[in-house]
Amino acid sequence: MSCWTVLGLSADADVRTIKRQYAVLLKQTRPDDDPEGFQRLRDAYEQALAYKTWQRYEEQDEEQNQDIQESWDLSGLTVVEVDALKLAIRPLDGLGIEELNRRLAITREEGCAHIFEDTVLHHCIEYPDTSQTLVDWAIPTFFWFSAWQRLDLDHISIDLLLDRQRARMVHPMRDALERQDVEGFLQAYERCGEHNWLAIALQQEWFNRMLSHLLLDAPVWYPDIFERVRTGQGWNGCTGNPCPDGEWQRLLARQNAPFFLARQQQLALEPPATSEHRAARLLLGTGSFSARRALARRLREEDWAQCRKLSSELYANHPKVCAHMPGGTAFFWRDWELSFNDWPTYVGVVLACLIGAFTHYIPLGVRLSGLINIVMISTVVFGVIVAGLNWLVHNVAHRVWRLDDRLSAVLCPGSLKDSPPFGVLRDLVPGALMVAGLSWFFGPIAGGVYALTLATFGLVRRWQSRPRVSWEESGPALKVGVTILGIVVLAVVLGVFKVVASQGTVNRNQGLQPWTERLCSRLPATTAECSAPATVEQWYGKEARP
């Protein structure tokens, strides 16, 4: 189908008409609704503009040739030479190979073969639908598309013809891949061997690059096609591989994709001893969604790096596998990388210190202001302790991951052995130490509050919620904002408590007190009577005793 048929125009339409018609058709063929139709329309538009550009140069050349012909001095030429010049510019419609060879021989003999070559080239450009036989004859005859073609040849026309020849080869193979027609692709590939100009080094490089892109962009991978193309093109892993190096590695990855997927699925079933095991278990594991959520919160930077690598491999070579993953994509878990894993422990510390201080110190007669000071100081101290404890224990637990999982499975009942709700080293040990420390300082109620807080957050985290929806809404910015807001609210509440408590406190030299103390409050601090602490007689004079 020619570009003019796609655009619905005749070949004599001008550039302005072509652009207007393209704008009208573009409104009817949207890229999102019909990508193939849009691409076909775009190719036709560009081809039509290229043709008009060539036609403009052709008209200029014709004017120049006309001027040359008019200025030709035929007086010194023989009748045979004049006939050869006329034969070189004669129309080429319907000519066979024998007639073309005869004209070429005559024009070469009379020294005007270059004029005949220009005529052939312009005819191939102007009549692409009916001149394929002429193109196939002219390319090897005049050494087009090679380093031996005539230097003064019209480069715009020859480039346009080269693009058409390339598209003539690519379209059948691409259409066969889209139709998932293996035999059709192999037949189209075999026909490419009929084009001798592909043996030229520059064109061979383009052909190899084009084939590699076709195979990599194919929606379905066919090992038979790859093996046939690899053998035909001489692709290999040795030095001098005609296939581009980066694309060769990607082709091998797609070829070995079934073996790669089988290995990753096997790693997902093994204990998570390495980053590869943990990435495979997270992306391809058979455990419940809540268990994989718990695993995601335990991963470190090197684990997430392996997850990103595995996700890219799956996205490129296994789209069907990605469709069955949470969220329908291999990158579902990417937003968990910046999750704040330890924030429930800090919430537990704040609640334990607050409730423990009230239950432990109020019976001892501690005033509210002193109680608030105890809560603030103890919260900071225990917060620093739990931060250091989490950092130390988590690093150790991450190094002995298999031991941690084994101990966790031993302590859990049968139904939870496959996905333990806690880890002995990473969760139970630091939790037990913090419970013991809070119980020793504030009493068992504080330790119980801390344990209950962690258990509550653990149960909520393991809740199976929307496994097919990406976790993007709980981004790190929201978590940081909530954390800062919680700290600000806590500081405001403690400040309000302190202000309220200070309103009922009677400080030194306030209120009804003995005369001597009130007298000293008005005298300088250097006064002898007021330099020593008040005695019993000063506080309670003889007249005040019974």
Side-chain angles (χ1 to χ4, degrees):
M1 181 181 296
S2 67
C3 61
W4 307 111
T5 303
V6 176
L7 294 173
L9 298 173
S10 59
D12 58 352
D14 57 10
V15 175
R16 185 176 183 181
T17 304
I18 294 173
K19 292 183 177 181
R20 286 183 176 179
Q21 182 69 4
Y22 174 71
V24 173
L25 296 178
L26 189 61
K27 296 179 181 179
Q28 304 173 5
T29 308
R30 306 296 299 176
D32 299 336
D33 300 334
D34 186 8
E36 296 181 0
F38 169 76
Q39 187 62 39
R40 186 163 53 250
L41 175 62
R42 182 66 185 179
D43 293 341
Y45 171 69
E46 293 177 352
Q47 186 176 355
L49 291 182
Y51 174 77
K52 287 301 174 181
T53 301
W54 168 84
Q55 192 179 46
R56 184 170 64 254
Y57 283 103
E58 176 64 12
E59 292 174 354
Q60 295 176 358
D61 291 342
E62 288 182 355
E63 293 177 359
Q64 294 176 0
N65 293 335
Q66 185 67 27
D67 295 339
I68 293 174
Q69 292 177 11
E70 292 177 357
S71 62
W72 278 350
D73 185 9
L74 303 179
S75 59
L77 300 179
T78 64
V79 175
V80 176
E81 292 174 339
V82 173
D83 291 341
L85 288 174
K86 293 180 179 180
L87 185 65
I89 59 175
R90 189 172 297 174
L92 303 172
D93 296 329
L95 295 184
I97 301 300
E98 295 182 0
E99 177 62 20
L100 291 172
N101 289 329
R102 188 186 71 83
R103 290 192 182 186
L104 177 62
I106 295 174
T107 54
R108 280 180 176 175
E109 183 177 354
E110 301 302 329
C112 56
H114 61 286
I115 300 177
F116 178 63
E117 182 180 356
D118 292 339
T119 303
V120 172
L121 176 60
H122 296 162
H123 182 89
C124 294
I125 295 297
E126 190 171 357
Y127 306 102
D129 297 333
T130 60
S131 59
Q132 193 56 55
T133 302
L134 180 61
V135 172
D136 294 338
W137 172 82
I139 290 176
T141 301
F142 299 111
F143 304 103
W144 288 347
F145 314 145
S146 69
W148 296 276
Q149 69 181 14
R150 211 175 81 237
L151 295 179
D152 57 341
L153 198 64
D154 183 7
H155 66 278
I156 296 179
S157 299
I158 202 67
D159 289 343
L160 179 59
L161 184 62
L162 177 60
D163 292 340
R164 289 180 180 177
Q165 291 301 108
R166 288 177 173 179
R168 175 190 172 193
M169 291 187 299
V170 173
H171 287 166
M173 291 187 287
R174 178 180 290 115
D175 293 342
L177 288 177
E178 292 177 354
R179 297 193 311 268
Q180 301 183 9
D181 182 7
V182 178
E183 189 62 28
F185 180 90
L186 295 178
Q187 291 177 0
Y189 174 69
E190 292 294 337
R191 288 195 297 270
C192 293
E194 302 173 359
H195 302 281
N196 297 329
W197 57 273
L198 284 178
I200 302 171
L202 181 63
Q203 306 304 330
Q204 187 67 34
E205 180 181 354
W206 166 83
F207 190 55
N208 284 305
R209 185 170 60 254
M210 180 272 297
L211 287 174
S212 63
H213 288 174
L214 277 181
L215 297 180
L216 288 173
D217 296 338
V220 180
W221 180 261
Y222 298 101
D224 296 341
I225 291 180
F226 174 71
E227 289 297 332
R228 178 65 187 87
V229 173
R230 184 178 68 85
T231 304
Q233 300 302 119
W235 292 350
N236 54 69
C238 303
T239 305
N241 184 10
C243 181
D245 182 62
E247 296 173 4
W248 172 248
Q249 299 301 326
R250 294 173 58 194
L251 289 169
L252 288 180
R254 291 203 70 173
Q255 176 69 359
N256 299 326
F259 306 99
F260 175 81
L261 181 61
R263 180 176 179 274
Q264 294 299 323
Q265 290 173 342
Q266 180 62 33
L267 291 177
L269 300 176
E270 297 177 0
T274 63
S275 298
E276 290 78 8
H277 288 85
R278 292 188 280 273
R281 174 172 288 197
L282 178 64
L283 297 178
L284 300 173
T286 57
S288 63
F289 179 72
S290 58
R292 294 159 75 183
R293 290 176 61 186
L295 174 64
R297 292 188 177 93
R298 296 158 51 192
L299 299 183
R300 302 177 65 179
E301 180 57 35
E302 58 270 20
D303 301 323
W304 285 117
Q306 184 63 32
C307 287
R308 289 191 291 271
K309 180 180 178 181
L310 179 57
S311 298
S312 299
E313 292 281 352
L314 296 174
Y315 178 78
N317 302 324
H318 301 279
K320 294 183 179 179
V321 175
C322 296
H324 293 86
M325 290 183 173
T329 171
F331 300 98
F332 170 79
W333 301 100
R334 69 186 183 274
D335 296 306
W336 289 72
E337 297 187 37
L338 301 178
S339 60
F340 292 87
N341 299 330
D342 297 331
W343 65 269
T345 59
Y346 301 117
V347 176
V349 166
V350 173
L351 295 178
C353 292
L354 186 62
I355 297 176
F358 273 82
T359 57
H360 182 71
Y361 287 101
I362 283 183
L364 299 179
V366 179
R367 293 181 178 180
L368 186 59
S369 58
L371 192 64
I372 297 300
N373 293 331
I374 293 174
V375 171
M376 297 178 66
I377 295 174
S378 61
T379 300
V380 174
V381 172
F382 278 102
V384 173
I385 292 174
V386 76
L389 192 60
N390 285 335
W391 175 82
L392 177 62
V393 173
H394 287 182
N395 282 335
V396 174
H398 200 272
R399 295 180 181 274
V400 290
W401 197 303
R402 299 182 64 177
L403 175 61
D404 192 15
D405 279 3
R406 192 180 302 115
L407 294 176
S408 303
V410 170
L411 295 181
C412 292
S415 60
L416 297 177
K417 286 185 179 296
D418 294 334
S419 58
F422 60 85
V424 173
L425 298 180
R426 66 179 179 272
D427 298 322
L428 192 58
V429 170
L433 292 177
M434 285 300 299
V435 168
L438 291 168
S439 300
W440 171 76
F441 192 81
F442 290 112
I445 295 179
V449 169
Y450 182 80
L452 181 61
T453 302
L454 295 188
T456 302
F457 278 109
L459 291 175
V460 172
R461 277 185 163 186
R462 289 183 61 83
W463 177 50
Q464 186 114 2
S465 63
R466 297 192 296 172
R468 294 295 175 185
V469 179
S470 179
W471 204 253
E472 296 177 356
E473 61 269 17
S474 60
L478 178 61
K479 293 183 178 180
V480 172
V482 172
T483 302
I484 295 176
L485 180 61
I487 294 174
V488 171
V489 170
L490 179 62
V492 171
V493 170
L494 294 178
V496 170
F497 280 160
K498 187 169 181 61
V499 171
V500 172
S502 65
Q503 300 302 317
T505 302
V506 179
N507 296 326
R508 186 179 180 84
N509 296 330
Q510 289 184 350
L512 297 176
Q513 294 179 359
W515 165 255
T516 307
E517 195 69 10
R518 288 189 288 116
L519 179 61
C520 290
S521 65
R522 295 187 182 132
L523 296 177
T526 56
T527 305
E529 292 81 357
C530 299
S531 59
T535 62
V536 175
E537 287 75 16
Q538 287 177 318
W539 279 97
Y540 304 100
K542 295 181 179 181
E543 68 278 9
R545 292 183 178 181

